[in-house]
Amino acid sequence: MRSSCIWIRILPLIIVITLPLILVTGTLQAQAPTGPTLPPDLASVVTDAYRMFNLTAVLKHIEYFASLGSRFTGYPGFYKAAEYIKNVWESYGLDVWTEEFEVTIPMSKGAEIVIELPNGTRITMRAYPLMPNYVNPCPYESPPEGDILIWGGNGYFEDFTGKPVNGSFVVMDFNCRWYWENALILGAKGVIFTTPSITTRIEAEWKALAIPYNFPRLYLSKGDSITIRKLLYRYKTLRAWIKSDMEWIRVKAYNIIAAYRPPEIVEPEIAVISAYYDAFSIVPELAPGASDAIGIAMLLELPKLFLKHPPKREIWFVAFAGHYQGLKGGREFIDRHFDDIASMGKRQGKLALFISLDLVSDNQDLAMYAIGNFYSYFYPESIRVKFASMISNIFYTFIPALESIIGRNIHIFDEVAQSYPPWYSTSPPYEPFIKFSEAEVFLEAAYGGGLTIITTNCLRMYRETPFDTFRNLNPENIKLQGEVLWPLLYYIVNMPITYDLRPFRYSADHGWIIAKLQLGIYNTTTRWYDNFTHPDAIVMFYQQPLAGAAGFMSAINLRAFLGFIEVIKPNPDGSLVVKGLKPMSNY
């Protein structure tokens, strides 16, 4: 009974306290602001855009691209991808055309290792050359007596104790960080890497030298890696004949453009939405580029949205080639369409907005930026201020409204004005690698109008490695990004363009320079240069950072921080042309 009395007394107390809490909470909710909203007709289209994102279709495109072996620019899979893109866009009834250009790439002509066992049996293994050391593709062929193979483990000095490293080829784990260079220090002729169970982009970055030293590095398949490990464990050393051939060649590449002209054009300017379709790997023959394919896969599906909901302006969907060759496709496109860029008083039918996509599946977080690492500027704020009105509208009107429509928080960062989320300044997104896109090329030429949307806060773990495969993608993160991008892109391309563009060839902080060069050799008699040419001549052209900007060079893909690098094989007469140089810069 005593217990019951206590319960009877406490229960009313609980009721009395709880009811006011409920009333107070209800009052607070009723007074909470609803946030920005969109006009009903636009809200309806945005809602449909969110629902129209088709993950299954996007994944189907990605799986196809990743199945082509290698989409490294100039390799067979690259051309199959180009044809596929063209066919898909033509099936929508879009106006599709291609723009051809030439680009210099390191073309692998194959590698082979023939191993002789003590009993005379020979085993042949296919190998894959790695990217050149700087500009040296490191061709090699064993002497008639062959070479010696030894096991080098992880490349630590103790792994070489008692082994004949000098003059031998060292077989070792790919995931050895930079310790493979110890084999070079000890006099090895080259290194043969075995396939790991998994690897990372950082490991790949460490597998090329930033000097043109002739030190062959080869990569074995998983099956051959297991075999050679077992053989070296048993025999300690093996005799082998190695042949590896890679050379710089000029190949044809294609930008693919699909134009959609809506029945009624309200806004006079043309908007470009783009992505690249080539891929990259430290092993050029093994560049599946599944994460590289996310952007172009989305771009292939995106026209369906605008066909159902016609935009206010003409849109060009552009698939770029040569992304990893110093944004070669982007520079060729801008050079060809320089006179088509909008300017003060000339906006009708001119290019005024240029958006690039560069996505991965490591994370769902998105970021929008204008100035990346391809060009540097003396006065970056003068560019950022051009986007002030647009950025404010996107992040403080549209994004909150979209969050209300889709019922979840959107993970997106404003890297243009660095204003969103409100806590951006205390916790900006993490970008471990340099970022660059074709939109930056437009920005350099027009001094505005170029925006890039990327996946941020991630390591891009498998990109630029043979492990960038379809099975290593995270479909859920692709879905979460796509559901935001569909309505976001629709909204952006329909916004009025209020900023001014200045497509100048030469200006104080931007421009578009074309350099026509000629190889020469000094003639001591005439005291001047004679034209020079050589079938193996290679020119590396790169921009040095502007004064006061620190920089570094990444050997893996031959690009520089705050400046681009392009490797060019000259014409037969020794001449060459470089497009898209920045005025008032050192090259």
Side-chain angles (χ1 to χ4, degrees):
M1 292 295 294
R2 186 177 182 85
S3 176
S4 298
C5 290
I6 293 174
W7 174 250
I8 291 171
R9 289 176 181 176
I10 292 175
L11 185 59
L13 180 63
I14 293 174
I15 294 173
V16 171
I17 293 174
T18 304
L19 284 175
L21 284 175
I22 294 173
L23 292 173
V24 171
T25 304
T27 303
L28 290 175
Q29 289 176 343
Q31 294 176 348
T34 58
T37 58
L38 302 176
D41 55 341
L42 178 58
S44 175
V45 174
V46 166
T47 302
D48 194 41
Y50 163 73
R51 293 170 178 168
M52 280 186 67
F53 177 73
N54 188 336
L55 177 63
T56 302
V58 169
L59 291 177
K60 182 180 178 181
H61 294 313
I62 297 173
E63 187 171 21
Y64 173 76
F65 286 129
S67 72
L68 298 177
S70 175
R71 293 198 324 282
F72 198 106
T73 301
Y75 282 63
F78 165 81
Y79 295 107
K80 292 179 182 178
E83 190 64 26
Y84 179 83
I85 293 166
K86 188 171 180 289
N87 290 339
V88 170
W89 278 341
E90 286 179 340
S91 71
Y92 300 157
L94 302 175
D95 181 12
V96 182
W97 71 93
T98 60
E99 295 178 352
E100 180 184 303
F101 60 93
E102 284 193 340
V103 59
T104 301
I105 57 118
M107 176 60 73
S108 171
K109 295 190 174 181
E112 183 181 79
I113 302 172
V114 180
I115 299 173
E116 184 177 77
L117 303 183
N119 63 6
T121 302
R122 292 195 172 190
I123 300 174
T124 300
M125 297 180 177
R126 181 181 179 183
Y128 304 89
L130 271 65
M131 280 291 291
N133 284 329
Y134 208 57
V135 295
N136 192 332
C138 305
Y140 182 82
E141 185 169 4
S142 293
E145 66 274 16
D147 284 300
I148 299 299
L149 301 183
I150 65 169
W151 175 248
N154 290 311
Y156 302 138
F157 282 118
E158 51 265 36
D159 290 329
F160 299 120
T161 302
K163 297 179 181 179
V165 183
N166 188 29
S168 298
F169 267 80
V170 179
V171 181
M172 58 198 313
D173 291 321
F174 185 83
N175 290 347
C176 64
R177 293 181 285 175
W178 58 86
Y179 289 111
W180 61 273
E181 295 177 20
N182 288 337
L184 185 157
I185 293 171
L186 295 174
K189 284 186 175 181
V191 166
I192 300 170
F193 292 114
T194 58
T195 297
S197 58
I198 200 69
T199 194
T200 66
R201 176 177 178 175
I202 297 173
E203 280 285 351
E205 291 271 5
W206 282 326
K207 297 304 182 292
L209 298 173
I211 56 174
Y213 190 79
N214 190 8
F215 189 75
R217 291 141 299 116
L218 303 176
Y219 186 89
L220 291 176
S221 68
K222 185 176 182 179
D224 287 337
S225 296
I226 294 172
T227 299
I228 202 168
R229 280 170 173 264
K230 290 180 178 179
L231 291 174
L232 285 171
Y233 179 80
R234 179 179 180 182
Y235 297 111
K236 309 306 179 187
T237 63
L238 292 167
R239 186 167 298 277
W241 286 261
I242 300 168
K243 184 176 182 180
S244 176
D245 193 8
M246 175 183 277
E247 66 174 340
W248 293 99
I249 65 170
R250 289 164 55 161
V251 298
K252 294 185 184 301
Y254 307 93
N255 291 331
I256 307 163
I257 300 96
Y260 174 59
R261 302 173 181 89
E264 182 180 357
I265 295 179
V266 178
E267 301 292 346
E269 310 91 350
I270 297 173
V272 172
I273 307 177
S274 72
Y276 62 91
Y277 67 93
D278 56 309
F280 186 91
S281 170
I282 184 64
V283 188
E285 287 181 273
L286 303 176
S291 67
D292 280 313
I294 296 174
I296 186 61
M298 289 198 179
L299 195 66
L300 285 181
E301 286 295 302
L302 197 58
K304 294 178 180 178
L305 169 62
F306 294 98
L307 288 168
K308 183 177 180 181
H309 300 287
K312 295 180 180 179
R313 56 168 48 92
E314 182 176 340
I315 299 178
W316 288 8
F317 304 95
V318 183
F320 283 112
H323 176 80
Y324 287 103
Q325 287 72 47
L327 300 181
K328 180 69 171 178
R331 288 186 288 122
E332 289 287 342
F333 177 86
I334 294 301
D335 188 68
R336 187 169 304 198
H337 295 281
F338 187 85
D339 292 335
D340 297 326
I341 299 175
S343 60
M344 295 293 289
K346 295 182 180 180
R347 307 181 75 87
Q348 187 68 43
K350 299 290 187 179
L351 306 176
L353 176 63
F354 196 115
I355 301 171
S356 288
L357 304 178
D358 187 0
L359 310 170
V360 293
S361 69
D362 300 32
N363 199 355
Q364 64 167 297
D365 294 2
L366 294 169
M368 183 183 298
Y369 77 86
I371 300 174
N373 301 126
F374 200 71
Y375 293 102
S376 51
Y377 295 89
F378 290 110
Y379 311 107
E381 285 303 320
S382 62
I383 294 177
R384 294 190 181 106
V385 73
K386 290 174 179 282
F387 294 102
S389 176
M390 173 181 280
I391 292 302
S392 177
N393 194 317
I394 291 171
F395 286 95
Y396 288 95
T397 298
F398 179 74
I399 292 298
L402 181 59
E403 288 180 329
S404 178
I405 289 172
I406 68 178
R408 66 175 172 88
N409 291 330
I410 294 174
H411 297 211
I412 189 167
F413 293 83
D414 161 28
E415 288 197 63
V416 181
Q418 301 178 351
S419 67
Y420 187 91
W423 39 263
Y424 180 99
S425 60
T426 59
S427 184
Y430 176 61
E431 292 293 340
F433 299 101
I434 62 176
K435 57 182 186 286
F436 58 100
S437 80
E438 286 73 13
E440 294 179 47
V441 183
F442 184 86
L443 186 80
E444 171 63 24
Y447 211 50
L451 292 171
T452 303
I453 301 176
I454 62 170
T455 311
T456 191
N457 280 333
C458 60
L459 291 173
R460 299 173 179 250
M461 189 67 71
Y462 304 118
R463 181 165 280 189
E464 303 184 4
T465 78
F467 286 84
D468 191 9
T469 59
F470 183 76
R471 64 179 294 180
N472 284 329
L473 296 179
N474 184 330
E476 180 63 19
N477 283 335
I478 297 175
K479 173 178 176 288
L480 292 172
Q481 292 177 82
E483 289 175 343
V484 173
L485 284 172
W486 250 234
L488 176 60
L489 290 171
Y490 184 86
Y491 185 76
I492 293 175
V493 300
N494 282 289
M495 294 177 70
I497 294 175
T498 57
Y499 50 74
D500 65 301
L501 298 179
R502 301 174 183 177
F504 297 156
R505 293 283 180 179
Y506 191 94
S507 187
D509 204 18
H510 78 288
W512 192 258
I513 302 296
I514 300 173
K516 297 182 179 180
L517 309 173
Q518 173 66 50
L519 299 185
I521 185 169
Y522 189 72
N523 187 322
T524 56
T525 302
T526 62
R527 298 182 181 180
W528 194 241
Y529 294 89
D530 295 334
N531 288 352
F532 172 79
T533 185
H534 190 281
D536 295 326
I538 285 293
V539 176
M540 174 177 281
F541 211 87
Y542 66 93
Q543 176 192 354
Q544 295 180 342
L546 296 178
F552 69 89
M553 187 174 295
S554 171
I556 179 174
N557 45 19
L558 300 174
R559 63 176 183 252
F561 183 69
L562 292 177
F564 72 84
I565 284 183
E566 182 180 1
V567 176
I568 305 173
K569 189 176 182 66
N571 295 316
D573 63 356
S575 63
L576 62 144
V577 177
V578 188
K579 301 175 182 178
L581 304 183
K582 185 179 184 66
M584 302 180 68
S585 298
N586 296 324
Y587 289 91

